[in-house]
Amino acid sequence: MATKLKPAILIVSDTASQNPASDKTIDALTSILAAEGKWAPPAVRIVPDNVPQIQQCIRDWADGADWHNLILLSGGTGFAVKDNTPEAVSPLIHRFAPGLVHGMIAASLNVTPFAMMARPVAGVRDKSLIMTLPGSPKGAMENLDAVVKLLPHACLQAAGANSRGMHAGGVKKLETDAADRPQSNDPGAGPNRRHRSSPYPMLSVEEALHRVSENTPEPTVVEAPVNSSLVGSVIAEDVYATEAVPAYRASIVDGYAIIAPASGGTTTKGVFPVASITHANVSGNLEPLKPGTIARITTGAPLPPNANAVVMVEDTALASSTPDGQEEATVEILADDIEPGENVREPGSDVALGSKILSRGDAISSVGGEIGVLAATGTKAIKVFQKPRIGVLSTGDELVEHDDPRSLTGGQIRDSNRPSLLSCLSSWGFPTVDLGIARDTPASELEHALRDSLRGVGRASASVDVIITTGGVSMGELDLLKPTIERSLGGTIHFGRVSMKPGKPTTFATVPFKAAGGSSASSQQERQSKLIFSLPGNPASALVTLNLFVLPSLHKLAGLGESSQSLAAKPWLPPQLGLPRVAVVLTHHFPLDPKRTEYHRAVVTASRSDGRMYATSTGVDGVGQRSSKVGTLAKANALVVLRAGRGVAIRGRLSRH
Ligand SMILES: Nc1nc2c(c(=O)[nH]1)N[C@H]1C(S)=C(S)[C@@H](COP(=O)(O)OP(=O)(O)OC[C@H]3O[C@@H](n4cnc5c(N)ncnc54)[C@H](O)[C@@H]3O)O[C@H]1N2
Ligand code: MOO
Ligand SMILES: [Mg+2]
């Protein structure tokens, strides 16, 4: 017999949650399902009319290890003030099923006109079908009866083939409590239900950064071959030398290997026969050096056995040549004070076999030293933190590719955010994916672009860990990012407004992600939660917030926070996550914003005379720092942090931000 489908019943009722015995609906619904013969006995819970509790239950059954095909909710769908089941369910639905709603209402209308007072919701969250039913046992049974024949087929279609396997491991929860979260506009709602002020609390930059850090997953570890693509990676596991450097006793100079007498012994001066020649690339065994002879040797070549020092060629003179005149026969050593060990690198004296060469948390820099020591010790592969892959998506109907040869018409503008953000991210050493432009209409274009890049289809040939979008995060009716993340992707917005200038509507969210395809190594390494930074469309705002909020998160994902070095013990080290901070002297007055912390674009240079850092604005006149002016970042190399206040920040003051 085929495996039975898994149903779950959630009773939403203040009364029943206090006195479960008073509930009659569970039995009524269970009997309808049992009569169909296709359903396993249902999981059952009872919660009061409380949005977070309802949502938690749905998440447990739709997202977690305790996964179910069908989630039936009964109660809380009427017009009473406390009836909020539809409001709890709607934001969790990924795809609505209005046909089921029609079917249920039509059936109820045959029985009573009060069916018009029901507000049912039905739809699919990920692979689970969710439906709300009336609270009364009779109403619930009528509604379920109306659609029950269709449900097995609907559930199987929603679940797809491998749904159970995919859900077996559950999902790591990184979401904030639903009760703490506001709700974005429902794009389908008319003008009278549109927010006229943002429902998202205004966070300080510090609080917003804290939420970014809290919700950025821990870095994942991968093994990577030692080559130049390691630059910018952070080491995940201490590395020990598997080979000594040098592996043999090597000469430091070009000259002659000699047997130097012990300190205080006889002079090294004299004329000696040249017994052999040793080049750096010798492969075979060397003849031991006989006392009274010397051997010509090049820098880096192994010393013959018995030799213990090398005299530089500059401290010698040719005494005689071989009869054919082709080689040296005897050489005179002019120096008389060569000590044993002089000009010799002992085996392992550069790097001892088994010694620690790099530590967890060390960054592999472009300077070349880390790659050098790995290569020198024959290290073939190391454990590093996987660099996050970042997709960049522009949004807006008005956008035109920056290199489109046609002239702009009407309200068109060039997409400058994507090229500028992509180049900034690449310069930080992160792999990027250009996700193109998502139009505002139809709204599904944005949803599809985001879903595709999370899954790694379409423009993103592999799934991305972080999506950066620009535009569409403020108060306009076509500002669709927040509703799409919350309502269509089931994501959690951790903040949607920050008290800063520019960048006020900066939005940060996480979306749960389950790697498809089961147990392959690569899918196990997929991060379980994906990050979405939805930056404001204004070009200066987008770049400033990229530097301020995205960079620290990428640094954490890339493992830069994993250093074993204590900053307290080494105060001269710069803070490792995000932009470094230095105190600067202002070369002129900087206007202050009365409410918001401003990130003023500036050029900072070190003075040759007093060694201090001086900041000059890229523009302070009326429109100087307007957030639409990407040119304010054109020569800038710093953001001067100006706390909100009255008047101006005074010229000549040292600002410690
Ligand atoms: N009623 C309110 N209006 C606005 C508020 C507010 O609080 N209440 N905030 C303002 C602030 S501050 C900002 S910043 C912007 C943010 O706008 P959005 O993120 O919604 O972005 P859009 O509306 O899509 O576009 C704004 C602006 O940026 C241009 N843009 C968009 N994408 C690009 C791109 N890829 N390359 C170049 N330029 C781009 C777009 O054409 C608009 O001119 O909202 C204020 N409004
Ligand atoms: O906060 Mo918006 O980025 O000023 O223009
Ligand atoms: Mg807008």
Side-chain angles (χ1 to χ4, degrees), residues 164-481:
R164 278 150 217 230
M166 285 165 61
H167 288 262
V171 188
K172 192 174 162 196
K173 286 240 171 348
L174 279 166
E175 301 173 20
T176 52
D177 192 318
D180 298 342
R181 286 188 269 123
Q183 268 299 308
S184 50
N185 272 328
D186 175 354
N192 57 349
R193 290 195 29 215
R194 224 176 264 147
H195 292 295
R196 299 203 79 80
S197 61
S198 173
Y200 296 89
M202 181 85 91
L203 264 52
S204 68
V205 173
E206 288 70 26
E207 173 61 13
L209 280 169
H210 181 67
R211 292 202 186 177
V212 169
S213 161
E214 260 183 352
N215 291 286
T216 298
E218 294 304 318
T220 52
V221 178
V222 288
E223 190 161 272
V226 173
N227 58 40
S228 59
S229 61
L230 273 184
V231 171
S233 296
V234 175
I235 291 184
E237 205 175 271
D238 294 349
V239 186
Y240 296 90
T242 48
E243 290 174 4
V245 184
Y248 52 85
R249 299 171 73 218
S251 174
I252 292 177
V253 294
D254 299 314
Y256 298 87
I258 64 169
I259 302 170
S263 301
T266 50
T267 174
T268 45
K269 271 190 172 179
V271 175
F272 299 92
V274 178
S276 62
I277 300 165
T278 309
H279 289 147
N281 61 357
V282 0
S283 51
N285 288 335
L286 294 170
E287 285 288 310
L289 190 63
K290 293 198 181 80
T293 66
I294 62 175
R296 220 166 85 209
I297 193 166
T298 54
T299 303
L303 264 67
N306 292 346
N308 62 0
V310 180
V311 56
M312 289 172 75
V313 70
E314 291 87 333
D315 293 333
T316 64
L318 180 64
S320 65
S321 302
T322 51
D324 60 6
Q326 295 299 306
E327 267 305 342
E328 299 168 347
T330 57
V331 161
E332 181 178 4
I333 295 180
L334 307 173
D336 68 351
D337 54 356
I338 308 290
E339 301 273 338
E342 199 160 325
N343 292 330
V344 176
R345 290 153 66 218
E346 291 298 331
S349 58
D350 287 359
V351 183
L353 182 65
S355 63
K356 193 200 277 189
I357 48 173
L358 292 169
S359 304
R360 176 185 164 92
D362 286 348
I364 300 191
S365 70
S366 56
V367 175
E370 294 82 16
I371 296 279
V373 74
L374 289 168
T377 51
T379 315
K380 312 289 183 300
I382 56 168
K383 298 261 172 67
V384 292
F385 295 112
Q386 189 167 35
K387 285 188 199 173
R389 255 165 73 86
I390 306 143
V392 178
L393 178 73
S394 291
T395 71
D397 283 339
E398 77 281 26
L399 297 181
V400 174
E401 295 284 349
H402 74 279
D403 53 1
D404 190 315
R406 287 166 291 188
S407 315
L408 298 182
T409 57
Q412 289 185 323
I413 60 153
R414 300 272 174 200
D415 178 2
S416 66
N417 286 347
R418 213 161 24 109
S420 67
L421 264 58
L422 283 168
S423 57
C424 190
L425 290 161
S426 307
S427 79
W428 291 334
F430 294 108
T432 57
V433 183
D434 182 344
L435 298 176
I437 299 171
R439 307 280 151 198
D440 297 327
T441 42
S444 56
E445 188 165 327
L446 176 62
E447 182 188 338
H448 285 133
L450 294 172
R451 276 194 198 283
D452 286 355
S453 55
L454 292 171
R455 289 202 195 113
V457 296
R459 272 176 174 257
S461 52
S463 84
V464 299
D465 303 301
V466 179
I467 301 179
I468 301 174
T469 65
T470 61
V473 286
S474 196
M475 295 295 294
E477 59 274 26
L478 286 181
D479 288 341
L480 296 172
L481 259 299

